[in-house]
């Protein structure tokens, strides 16, 4: 239970204090100490953590561009290497553009002023349909089949459609990118009326998650070794953006590994009719 | 021909560094993680290890600790070539007996390879 908060300090009971320490949010916790029968949790400003990471993520591709250009300017570089270097420059620039776009998404989600006010209901069934159509060509390239299983009807609900799209698109894109060729991607829609949420699941057969992956998969810039092989140019921000977007919309996100190498990512959307 | 074991997780940088070192006449054994580099060291000893610090899984310092603790690899010449370097990191690197510590963006690739050549040749 959280009693209140002021600036970067949260006043809460013991179980809430444990939650901050144990759920992976501890990266933001500066210190915790008992206070007035409860606990005071001092939080790091998350923005103060992201800047060193962003600088680090930019340095390697910028060095890659610098050295590629130096080699191209050299007289001794053979023609076949020049072609490779130009391809390298092109791929690195694409990566930097994606990184900047992802960082802008993170910034918008984390900034309260960046969010649009939710004044009307969103037709999430239509959003899901549109996003599936958008990503179907990518799935078709890998001969993957997208299957939609609807266990309940989705009524329009008051949520931010951009945030919803951000979660769904990142999860579906990952399922396609890291799923095996010729496999099925199963999207399930269900509800838990006792919790007042819709639950959307995206299941794929592909890269198994290691113990380290399970711990860090929603962390900024984290990419498993296996993911780097399948998709070398990823930014490591997709699942962080998905998590942040799901939570900003009042929901939650988690994953389950199933037998046979399948992984299902779930997220919830609150059912709000007003 | 002298051999350099290159450990660099960024694929693009790994390619560029390997390209430049090969053009300079070295045999380059390239790996993207420390875990992938260790089996090579069980069979062969390179003339120098070009080591990135920020690696997935085992990082550069853990790798250094491991090779310095092995009688076969404890005297390997190692240079660290990293995107950044705090004084603490440089101090720790010196404790592990690295030949030098270079911050990538401070050097042209030609300069780095020249410096590494001097180190391999015992300067």
């Amino acid at each position: 239970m959280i009693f209140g908060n002021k600036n970067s300090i949260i006043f809460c009971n013991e179980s809430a204090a444990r939650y901050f320490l144990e759920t992976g949010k501890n990266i933001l916790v500066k210190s915790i100490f008992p206070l007035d029968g409860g606990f005071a949790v001092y939080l790091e400003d998350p923005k103060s953590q992201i800047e060193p990471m962003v600088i680090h993520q930019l340095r390697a591709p910028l060095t890659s561009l610098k050295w590629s250009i130096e080699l191209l300017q050299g007289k001794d570089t053979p023609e076949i290497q020049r072609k490779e270097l130009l391809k390298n420059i092109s791929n690195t620039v694409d990566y930097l553009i994606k990184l900047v776009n992802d960082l802008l998404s993170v910034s918008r989600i984390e900034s309260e002023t960046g969010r649009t006010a939710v004044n009307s209901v969103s037709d999430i069934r239509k959003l899901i349909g549109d996003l599936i159509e958008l990503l179907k060509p990518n799935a078709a390239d890998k001969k993957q089949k997208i299957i939609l299983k609807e266990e309940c009807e989705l009524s329009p609900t008051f949520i931010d459609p951009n945030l919803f799209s951000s979660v769904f698109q990142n999860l579906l894109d990952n399922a396609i990118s890291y799923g095996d060729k010729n496999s099925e991607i199963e999207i399930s829609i269900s509800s838990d009326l006792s919790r007042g949420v819709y639950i959307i699941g995206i299941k794929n057969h592909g890269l198994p998650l290691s113990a380290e992956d399970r711990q860090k998969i929603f962390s900024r810039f984290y990419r498993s070794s296996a993911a780097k092989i399948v998709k070398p140019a990823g930014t490591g921000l997709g699942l962080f953006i998905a998590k942040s977007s799901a939570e900003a919309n009042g929901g939650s996100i988690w994953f389950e590994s199933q037998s046979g190498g399948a992984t299902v990512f779930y997220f919830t959307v609150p059912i709000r009719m007003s | 021909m002298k051999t350099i074991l290159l450990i660099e997780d960024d694929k693009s940088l790994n390619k560029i560094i390997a390209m430049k070192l090969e053009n300079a006449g070295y045999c380059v054994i390239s790996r993207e993680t420390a875990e992938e580099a260790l089996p090579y060291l069980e069979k062969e000893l390179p003339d120098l290890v070009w080591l990135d610090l920020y690696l997935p899984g085992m990082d550069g310092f853990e790798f250094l600790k491991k090779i310095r603790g092995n009688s076969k690899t404890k005297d390997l010449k190692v240079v660290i070539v990293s995107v950044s370097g705090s004084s603490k990191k440089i101090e720790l690197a010196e404790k592990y007996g690295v030949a030098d510590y270079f911050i990538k963006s401070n050097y042209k690739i030609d300069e780095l390879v020249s410096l590494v050549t001097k180190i391999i040749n015992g300067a």
Side-chain angles (χ1 to χ4, degrees), chain A:
Chain A
M1 181 192 294
I2 293 175
F3 305 133
N5 64 80
K6 184 175 179 180
N7 299 328
S8 296
I9 308 171
I10 291 178
F11 301 99
C12 58
N13 65 4
E14 185 180 346
S15 61
R18 281 193 192 286
Y19 170 79
F20 281 109
L21 276 177
E22 290 165 4
T23 60
K25 286 187 174 14
N26 60 349
I27 195 169
L28 297 176
V29 173
K30 221 168 169 175
S31 60
I32 294 181
F33 60 86
L35 180 69
D36 292 342
F39 286 84
V41 179
Y42 280 80
L43 299 179
E44 247 344 319
D45 177 4
K47 286 179 195 148
S48 73
Q49 301 218 348
I50 200 167
E51 279 164 13
M53 284 195 260
V54 169
I55 290 167
H56 177 73
Q57 290 296 114
L58 287 171
R59 276 187 172 142
L62 287 173
T63 304
S64 170
L65 284 177
K66 174 179 143 82
W67 285 352
S68 295
I69 292 166
E70 283 169 15
L71 286 173
L72 279 169
Q73 287 171 328
K75 293 172 190 171
D76 303 332
T77 306
E79 189 57 37
I80 193 166
Q81 284 182 356
R82 288 180 184 280
K83 284 185 181 167
E84 220 179 303
L85 289 165
L86 284 170
K87 190 178 167 192
N88 188 53
I89 288 172
S90 175
N91 290 342
T92 304
V93 168
D94 285 343
Y95 167 81
L96 283 168
I97 290 170
K98 179 144 181 26
L99 179 63
V100 166
N101 286 338
D102 282 351
L103 289 169
L104 279 170
S105 295
V106 170
S107 176
R108 270 188 223 117
I109 293 161
E110 290 186 336
S111 153
E112 287 181 4
T113 57
R115 294 195 208 139
T116 51
V118 180
N119 296 318
S120 59
V121 290
S122 293
D123 183 347
I124 51 178
R125 179 59 182 84
K126 183 177 185 306
L127 286 172
I128 288 173
D130 289 346
L131 289 166
I132 290 174
E133 284 307 305
L134 179 69
L135 293 174
K136 239 183 195 169
N138 299 359
D141 285 346
K142 293 178 76 172
K143 295 187 172 38
Q144 292 165 332
K145 199 173 167 190
I146 299 178
I147 298 168
L148 186 57
K149 284 191 176 173
E150 297 176 77
E151 293 169 27
C152 72
E153 212 175 292
L154 287 169
S155 300
T157 179
F158 275 90
I159 50 147
D160 184 327
N162 293 324
L163 291 173
F164 178 90
S165 298
S166 184
V167 188
F168 188 85
Q169 188 168 346
N170 268 297
L171 294 183
L172 183 55
D173 189 51
N174 275 0
I176 294 169
S177 296
Y178 301 114
D180 294 334
K181 287 183 184 175
N182 300 303
S183 64
E184 283 181 354
I185 293 168
E186 193 180 289
I187 299 169
S188 62
I189 297 173
S190 60
S191 63
D192 182 344
L193 295 176
S194 65
R195 288 163 59 196
V197 296
Y198 293 122
I199 304 172
I200 290 127
I202 301 179
K203 176 177 172 179
N204 80 313
H205 297 265
L207 287 180
L209 297 177
S210 68
E212 188 183 6
D213 292 341
R214 279 177 234 284
Q215 290 272 329
K216 298 179 182 176
I217 202 163
F218 290 116
S219 304
R220 288 182 182 101
F221 302 118
Y222 177 74
R223 300 199 72 216
S224 68
S225 309
K228 284 184 189 180
I229 294 168
V230 171
K231 195 176 173 186
T235 61
L237 284 172
L239 282 176
F240 175 78
I241 290 170
K243 181 173 187 287
S244 303
S245 300
E247 291 172 356
N249 240 350
S252 59
I253 189 168
W254 70 99
F255 64 89
E256 288 172 12
S257 293
Q258 297 184 347
S259 58
T263 306
V264 191
F265 277 83
Y266 294 101
F267 70 100
T268 61
V269 176
I271 303 171
R272 289 189 199 122
M273 302 304 183
S274 60

Side-chain angles (χ1 to χ4, degrees), chain A residues 60-61 64-65 68 88 92, chain B residues 9-17:
Chain A
S64 170
L65 284 177
S68 295
N88 188 53
T92 304
Chain B
D9 71 311
D10 184 282
K11 281 185 187 313
S12 168
L13 280 174
N14 192 303
K15 257 192 213 167
I16 293 168
I17 297 164

